[in-house]
Amino acid sequence: MNKKLSVLFAIALALETVIPSLLFSVKAETSSKNQSQAVQSSVKPQVSFDPPGSGKPDDSAGGASRGGGCPQEVISTGGCVIPLIPSNREGLTTTGHPTFFIYLPQNSAQEVFFSLVDENNKNIYQTKIPLTGKSGIIQFTLPENAPALEIGKNYQWAFVAIRQQGLRPDSPGIQGRIRRIETDSILMTQLQNITPLERAALYGKKGIWYETLASLAEARKLQPTDADLVSQWEQLLKSVGLEAIASQPLLN
């Protein structure tokens, strides 16, 4: 074998040894990366609510503020109409047509009257919502044909249970406040192509209550048997002082 052939033969042997090794290394690295991504994707985001401003929600609000005049001992057993909002009865939203949640105990009411007024007490929208008579949490989304909430403005909403005698001054009801804020460009980018649970976690960190709750409710409806989502829902409600109704079912 001449010198040139010997060199080529040596190179061939070297390549035969090195190339499989390199391929194995690349394959192992790719497999490890895929496994890491799979583990990361299987870890569910945890939803928590960070109120805007400093500190946690004020839990010193009395029973009347949480349940429209209902005694605290009755509220603690889930026997009153209760709004699903922080204890200061205020919350932020980024949408012009937000979703509201309230808890209704089992009662004789066949409808709930909903009203929305602006900061000048001007009526914005009102409607009646039919009930099934079941005890649980109902939600109501401001319809598209209703005037949209304006950015930077405060509104007050109310739900009043209508019984057989009709709408009366002593009809059980509750009130809450809502303020629409502008969605910044960073948040808009982060909200693209993510799951409802991921949205809930993101909104919660931003202190945007109404979308936190609505997104987590959406996640629960998509996976109603997911125990982790049920647990996260209950923990979220407990974190704002709603222990009494944290385990109540979502009715719609």
Side-chain angles (χ1 to χ4, degrees):
M1 183 181 297
N2 59 38
K3 185 176 180 180
K4 186 175 182 180
L5 289 176
S6 297
V7 172
L8 291 174
F9 182 72
I11 292 173
L13 285 176
L15 290 174
E16 186 178 358
T17 302
V18 172
I19 289 177
S21 177
L22 289 174
L23 290 175
F24 177 80
S25 177
V26 171
K27 183 177 180 180
E29 183 178 350
T30 301
S31 177
S32 176
K33 185 176 181 180
N34 290 340
Q35 289 178 358
S36 176
Q37 291 176 342
V39 170
Q40 291 178 358
S41 64
S42 65
V43 178
K44 292 183 178 179
Q46 297 299 302
V47 179
S48 61
F49 180 64
D50 299 331
S54 60
K56 294 295 182 183
D58 179 13
D59 289 327
S60 63
S65 66
R66 294 294 280 184
C70 194
Q72 183 62 48
E73 60 269 19
V74 181
I75 290 178
S76 64
T77 61
C80 289
V81 181
I82 300 175
L84 272 66
I85 48 177
S87 56
N88 60 6
R89 295 193 296 167
E90 297 179 348
L92 300 177
T93 183
T94 60
T95 178
H97 296 87
T99 299
F100 306 88
F101 291 81
I102 64 168
Y103 165 75
L104 284 168
Q106 190 168 12
N107 58 71
S108 59
Q110 299 179 352
E111 294 178 311
V112 168
F113 175 77
F114 170 82
S115 69
L116 178 71
V117 298
D118 65 13
E119 50 198 10
N120 298 315
N121 208 34
K122 177 184 177 182
N123 180 62
I124 301 299
Y125 182 80
Q126 60 185 33
T127 190
K128 293 180 180 178
I129 306 166
L131 300 176
T132 62
K134 295 180 180 179
S135 172
I137 295 168
I138 68 169
Q139 66 182 79
F140 170 73
T141 300
L142 193 66
E144 290 298 321
N145 63 354
L149 273 60
E150 296 183 39
I151 294 174
K153 289 192 175 182
N154 299 304
Y155 299 84
Q156 182 166 291
W157 53 264
F159 284 92
V160 181
I162 303 176
R163 294 175 174 167
Q164 290 182 348
Q165 61 268 37
L167 197 61
R168 296 166 52 92
D170 60 348
S171 296
I174 43 83
Q175 296 178 338
R177 293 186 292 272
I178 186 170
R179 176 181 178 85
R180 185 183 178 187
I181 61 172
E182 188 172 6
T183 307
D184 60 61
S185 58
I186 296 177
L187 180 58
M188 289 181 65
T189 300
Q190 293 174 326
L191 289 170
Q192 294 179 4
N193 302 318
I194 61 175
T195 66
L197 181 59
E198 291 169 334
R199 288 203 310 270
L202 186 57
Y203 279 124
K205 290 179 180 178
K206 296 287 187 178
I208 303 171
W209 173 254
Y210 285 88
E211 276 70 74
T212 300
L213 196 63
S215 297
L216 188 52
E218 182 182 351
R220 284 196 61 187
K221 289 181 180 180
L222 292 173
Q223 297 178 284
T225 60
D226 191 312
D228 177 70
L229 292 178
V230 173
S231 176
Q232 292 215 46
W233 173 269
E234 293 180 358
Q235 290 302 316
L236 177 63
L237 295 190
K238 290 177 181 179
S239 73
V240 294
L242 293 169
E243 295 88 349
I245 60 171
S247 61
Q248 292 295 325
L250 288 169
L251 298 181
N252 56 0

